[in-house]
Amino acid sequence: MIFNDTIVALSSGRLPAGVAVIRISGPQTRFVIETMSGHLPLPRQAVLRAFYSQGDGEILDRGLLVFFPGPRSFTGEDVAELQIHGGQAVVSAMLKELTGFQHVRSAEPGEFTRRAFMNGKLDLVKTEALADLINADTQAQRRFAQRNADGAQSVLYADWRKRLIHARAMIEAEIDFADESDVPGSVAATIWADTACLAQEIEKHIEGFTAAEIIQDGFRVVILGAPNAGKSSLLNALAQRDAAIVTDEAGTTRDLLDIVLDLGGLKIIVTDTAGLRENPGRVEAIGIEKAQARGKKADLVLFLEDMSDPQMVEIDWLAGDHIKVGTKLDLIEFDQTQHDQYDFCISHLSGHGIADLLEAIKQKAEARLAAAGDILPFRMRHVELLEESLEHLTEAQNTLQPLEIRAEELRLCANLLGRISGAVNVEDLLDVIFSQFCIGK
């Protein structure tokens, strides 16, 4: 696809910086480079150049220039990258000079990546994975995004779509050429067996979205317990700072308070909550409702109990995984029988048991991820299209339907899978997807 205008943007980080990278893409790229630096450098070789103003010939800056002729570039067009000094004034002067050329303008958010997609350099799945790679905070997020950016998920969906197209072709051949000797009537048995297996594969793949959410959004850990059970003290111990107010007064915490931990490369979100008790005040009751709602959605609940003054709290409503933690170990005498009532016994003052509790949380998170496959859907858009495609694939298995209808269900299923990667019309999705990118990418 040919774009008439050329785009330019700062593609590196916040200024000031040691080096700033300005990216140019489009049909005017060669002319701009020749005008500002004298002549084109050899493709994909960095050269030191002075960059001149086209007005008075003033040197704006000196830096490295790399030219990537299309289609062997990120966008598929002629692309140039200017590595210059990262001062505010230098970058501002360069961008003003570049956009002063005819048919050259500042890029919109995600426009470089959008051109790469439109020119067939990326599919939508790789594009979304690239956005996740840029925004990755933990090593687990980076590895997950990198795998998808490398095309693992795209290959899987392409293989499924290929199987569906083949199945549809065989079924339609059986319909149209049933009397021909080279179209075996038994082909249907093999085809429908494979589509049944494919339905199971898609269903299992959809189930992996929960694991993808944990990698991307974090493993959610909620601390519950009676007032003064040590919830806020544990939160502070995990955060290694005073994130929550700690007093002897019951009901100090009345709202949800989150901290984010990085355990073994995994994002762990720990939430402190209001103490659970009967007959609370009006404001405290709202906090308790929030605590219970968050606890029901948690991947893991840490239920805390003060071993020096245990308070009965009803937690039968908890449906998910939880760990029972005895707190304030420093205030009681050692009693093995009492310790056996808890999964962990900790002291916020001495730090006893905190490291073991953190390790248990990490193992719980890793176990949730290990239960899923290697290739996971990582956008709700993917899941919705997969679920819809699964409905059509399931309907195609209905032996009560005519073969023509079943073949049509296979076509609809293949089209929906194609929409995930952009192989089928996705114009309505493009603005939403590329608006997530920063300017310069």
Side-chain angles (χ1 to χ4, degrees), residues 229-281:
K231 300 183 298 300
S232 296
S233 295
L234 175 59
L235 188 82
N236 290 341
L238 297 178
Q240 297 183 352
R241 60 183 173 86
D242 291 335
I245 298 174
V246 177
T247 71
D248 293 332
E249 179 182 345
T252 302
T253 302
R254 297 188 177 188
D255 208 343
L256 305 176
L257 180 61
D258 295 336
I259 63 168
V260 178
L261 305 177
D262 186 336
L263 299 182
L266 293 174
K267 182 179 180 180
I268 310 293
I269 302 173
V270 184
T271 303
D272 184 22
T273 63
L276 305 177
R277 65 172 174 176
E278 296 181 357
N279 303 317

Side-chain angles (χ1 to χ4, degrees), residues 43 58 146 155 208 272 407 428:
E58 177 191 4
Q146 185 65 65
V155 170
D272 184 22
D428 54 331

Side-chain angles (χ1 to χ4, degrees), residues 173 176-185:
D176 295 337
F177 307 105
D179 297 332
E180 300 293 332
S181 60
D182 57 347
V183 180

Side-chain angles (χ1 to χ4, degrees), residues 381-400:
R381 179 182 77 86
H382 304 172
V383 173
E384 290 171 349
L385 288 170
L386 287 165
E387 289 177 338
E388 193 174 350
S389 68
L390 183 60
E391 290 177 6
H392 287 291
L393 189 54
T394 302
E395 188 61 30
Q397 306 297 318
N398 187 353
T399 57
L400 298 179

Side-chain angles (χ1 to χ4, degrees), residues 134-183:
I134 293 170
N135 295 318
D137 294 321
T138 68
Q139 292 304 311
Q141 291 173 335
R142 177 191 62 78
R143 287 190 292 267
F144 182 56
Q146 185 65 65
R147 181 170 174 79
N148 289 319
D150 286 342
Q153 192 173 357
S154 298
V155 170
L156 177 66
Y157 295 161
D159 177 67
W160 285 350
R161 191 162 179 261
K162 183 178 179 181
R163 287 163 63 182
L164 285 167
I165 292 172
H166 173 73
R168 179 187 166 204
M170 292 298 98
I171 295 302
E172 290 184 351
E174 187 171 319
I175 295 171
D176 295 337
F177 307 105
D179 297 332
E180 300 293 332
S181 60
D182 57 347
V183 180

Side-chain angles (χ1 to χ4, degrees), residues 46 88 95 127 175 219 271 296 370 434:
Q88 294 276 6
L95 290 175
T127 296
I175 295 171
F219 185 75
T271 303
K296 291 176 181 178
F434 292 107

Side-chain angles (χ1 to χ4, degrees), residues 53-347:
S53 169
Q54 60 179 324
D56 55 12
E58 177 191 4
I59 295 179
L60 300 176
D61 195 19
R62 286 185 173 86
L64 294 180
L65 170 64
V66 187
F67 176 60
F68 305 89
R72 296 179 59 191
S73 69
F74 174 71
T75 63
E77 306 173 317
D78 286 346
V79 172
E81 290 187 359
L82 285 62
Q83 299 182 24
I84 60 176
H85 295 94
Q88 294 276 6
V90 174
V91 173
S92 177
M94 289 292 291
L95 290 175
K96 182 178 180 180
E97 184 68 25
L98 288 166
T99 54
F101 285 88
Q102 191 173 12
H103 305 302
V104 179
R105 61 173 175 80
S106 297
E108 298 293 332
E111 191 168 3
F112 287 94
T113 308
R114 183 167 186 159
R115 291 192 177 199
F117 168 74
M118 298 300 291
N119 288 322
K121 308 298 287 189
L122 296 171
D123 64 25
L124 282 187
V125 174
K126 291 180 182 178
T127 296
E128 291 167 320
L130 188 59
D132 288 346
L133 186 61
I134 293 170
N135 295 318
D137 294 321
T138 68
Q139 292 304 311
Q141 291 173 335
R142 177 191 62 78
R143 287 190 292 267
F144 182 56
Q146 185 65 65
R147 181 170 174 79
N148 289 319
D150 286 342
Q153 192 173 357
S154 298
V155 170
L156 177 66
Y157 295 161
D159 177 67
W160 285 350
R161 191 162 179 261
K162 183 178 179 181
R163 287 163 63 182
L164 285 167
I165 292 172
H166 173 73
R168 179 187 166 204
M170 292 298 98
I171 295 302
E172 290 184 351
E174 187 171 319
I175 295 171
D176 295 337
F177 307 105
D179 297 332
E180 300 293 332
S181 60
D182 57 347
V183 180
S186 61
V187 69
T190 303
I191 291 301
W192 295 121
D194 182 62
T195 55
C197 290
L198 179 55
Q200 294 177 353
E201 292 174 30
I202 294 176
E203 187 173 11
K204 183 178 180 180
H205 182 68
I206 292 172
E207 292 172 356
F209 182 59
T210 300
E213 284 186 306
I214 290 174
I215 295 173
Q216 294 180 306
D217 301 330
F219 185 75
R220 297 164 297 178
V221 179
V222 175
I223 306 174
L224 296 177
N228 283 338
K231 300 183 298 300
S232 296
S233 295
L234 175 59
L235 188 82
N236 290 341
L238 297 178
Q240 297 183 352
R241 60 183 173 86
D242 291 335
I245 298 174
V246 177
T247 71
D248 293 332
E249 179 182 345
T252 302
T253 302
R254 297 188 177 188
D255 208 343
L256 305 176
L257 180 61
D258 295 336
I259 63 168
V260 178
L261 305 177
D262 186 336
L263 299 182
L266 293 174
K267 182 179 180 180
I268 310 293
I269 302 173
V270 184
T271 303
D272 184 22
T273 63
L276 305 177
R277 65 172 174 176
E278 296 181 357
N279 303 317
R282 184 188 305 175
V283 176
E284 192 178 353
I286 296 174
I288 292 175
E289 289 178 3
K290 289 184 177 181
Q292 291 176 330
R294 185 67 65 90
K296 291 176 181 178
K297 296 179 180 179
D299 297 303
L300 175 66
V301 168
L302 303 181
F303 179 71
L304 273 54
E305 188 171 88
D306 180 356
M307 293 189 292
S308 67
D309 184 22
Q311 303 292 320
M312 292 297 296
V313 176
E314 179 61 56
I315 58 170
D316 289 345
W317 49 270
L318 276 180
D321 194 7
H322 69 277
I323 295 175
K324 189 173 183 180
V325 181
T327 64
K328 305 184 183 181
L329 179 62
D330 51 287
L331 299 182
I332 66 169
E333 294 183 4
F334 181 80
D335 183 340
Q336 187 61 51
T337 303
Q338 185 178 21
H339 284 211
D340 291 341
Q341 300 175 19
Y342 305 98
D343 298 306
F344 292 91
C345 296
I346 64 173
S347 169

